[in-house]
Amino acid sequence: MIQLKGIRKSFGKLEVLKGIDLSVNKGDVVAVLGPSGSGKTTLLRCINFLERADGGEIIIGDTCVSCKKTSKKDILAIRKKTAMVFQSYNLFHNKTALENVMEGLVIVRSMRKQDAMEIGKQLLIKVGLEDKLDAYPSQLSGGQRQRVGIARALALNPEVILFDEPTSALDPELVGEVLAVMKKVAQEGITMIVVTHEMSFAYNVANKVILMDEGVVVEEGAPSELFHNPKEERTKRFLTGRVPDWSYSI
């Protein structure tokens, strides 16, 4: 469904991604773990061309793009198949929650406003914000803003949603409400690639976990295998002190 082949990215002399290969099947929830600076966010940004990779191929469904020979048409084709949820929300501050969800449908998909409004309302209800349709971002908590971001991503009906540390900017008491919505999205069979530090989410919700460090995939596997029986010494060191309380559930 999604394949990354040899994705490379440098910023000046700093090589951030060193030939990443990754396969994601339809309906997979892939948790991407790793220390700061390992290339996790850059990888997500390269998938939907917020950053242009220096080399490699990106395949999503029937669309195959060579990162070295990318046209505007190629980029648009990939972006139509992806949606991104950012750690800093990236909402329009002068638009209501409903208008933020509608924006992509009206501007990008050229949908009638009335139709976009109905979809937006249903998705905000789905993420538990039925009483916040007309609220502006400044009137919402961080968790509520992130749930608007998730609804906005769902509205585009993408083939994959990319989550860039969606809970890292939240106060601890708000993390659970966002993770609960993400778990609900995952249970609906939507393909997700999630850069996260939330180990319990990775263990309880993801069906594949990958550990990145220094621009490479160190290890990947099912959560039970990677957490309980890691093969690589680097994985063992990373997990030391980070193994969650498995009795915690989302």
Side-chain angles (χ1 to χ4, degrees):
M1 191 270 185
I2 300 169
Q3 278 192 297
L4 309 180
K5 297 182 177 181
I7 302 298
R8 302 190 314 277
K9 177 65 180 177
S10 296
F11 295 100
K13 294 182 179 180
L14 178 62
E15 191 176 14
V16 178
L17 300 177
K18 303 174 181 178
I20 299 292
D21 296 321
L22 180 64
S23 294
V24 180
N25 295 319
K26 184 177 177 61
D28 276 354
V29 178
V30 180
V32 184
L33 310 179
S36 297
S38 59
K40 308 182 301 296
T41 291
T42 300
L43 179 63
L44 283 195
R45 291 175 66 86
C46 285
I47 292 174
N48 73 342
F49 285 92
L50 290 175
E51 298 284 354
R52 190 181 293 239
D54 300 321
E57 288 184 343
I58 298 173
I59 302 168
I60 302 180
D62 56 1
T63 301
C64 178
V65 174
S66 171
C67 296
K68 266 194 171 181
K69 304 174 182 177
T70 313
S71 67
K72 289 183 179 179
K73 183 179 178 182
D74 291 332
I75 293 173
L76 181 60
I78 289 291
R79 285 181 175 167
K80 282 185 174 180
K81 294 175 181 287
T82 64
M84 194 153 179
V85 177
F86 300 88
Q87 58 180 297
S88 55
Y89 321 126
N90 284 26
L91 301 179
F92 295 105
H93 296 293
N94 62 334
K95 295 183 182 295
T96 66
L98 180 57
E99 289 168 341
N100 266 282
V101 177
M102 291 171 56
E103 184 76 6
L105 295 173
V106 174
I107 302 301
V108 179
R109 299 291 167 86
S110 301
M111 186 178 290
R112 290 172 57 242
K113 280 191 175 181
Q114 189 61 40
D115 295 335
M117 184 179 296
E118 287 306 313
I119 291 172
K121 286 179 179 178
Q122 291 305 312
L123 288 172
L124 287 170
I125 290 170
K126 177 181 285 190
V127 300
L129 294 176
E130 58 272 14
D131 59 339
K132 300 294 183 181
L133 301 182
D134 297 321
Y136 289 89
S138 63
Q139 299 170 312
L140 301 174
S141 70
Q144 290 169 337
R145 278 178 250 171
Q146 195 59 286
R147 284 188 276 158
V148 173
I150 294 171
R152 179 179 59 184
L154 289 169
L156 296 174
N157 194 27
E159 293 192 25
V160 57
I161 301 180
L162 311 171
F163 292 81
D164 182 17
E165 299 192 30
T167 60
S168 66
L170 300 179
D171 292 333
E173 65 267 23
L174 301 178
V175 169
E177 67 184 58
V178 173
L179 293 180
V181 170
M182 292 173 63
K183 181 177 181 180
K184 184 177 178 181
V185 171
Q187 289 171 337
E188 293 180 359
I190 295 171
T191 308
M192 301 163 58
I193 302 177
V194 185
V195 169
T196 184
H197 293 294
E198 297 292 338
M199 298 295 170
S200 290
F201 177 87
Y203 186 82
N204 290 311
V205 181
N207 66 303
K208 178 188 284 188
V209 178
I210 73 171
L211 176 70
M212 288 184 63
D213 190 27
E214 297 184 351
V216 300
V217 174
V218 175
E219 187 169 351
E220 66 177 88
S224 58
E225 295 172 0
L226 192 135
F227 279 107
H228 294 307
N229 190 31
K231 298 179 176 62
E232 301 296 329
E233 189 59 37
R234 181 65 186 97
T235 310
K236 295 174 184 177
R237 293 201 310 273
F238 176 78
L239 292 176
T240 299
R242 291 185 171 92
V243 176
D245 175 3
W246 303 121
S247 64
Y248 170 75
S249 61
I250 300 166

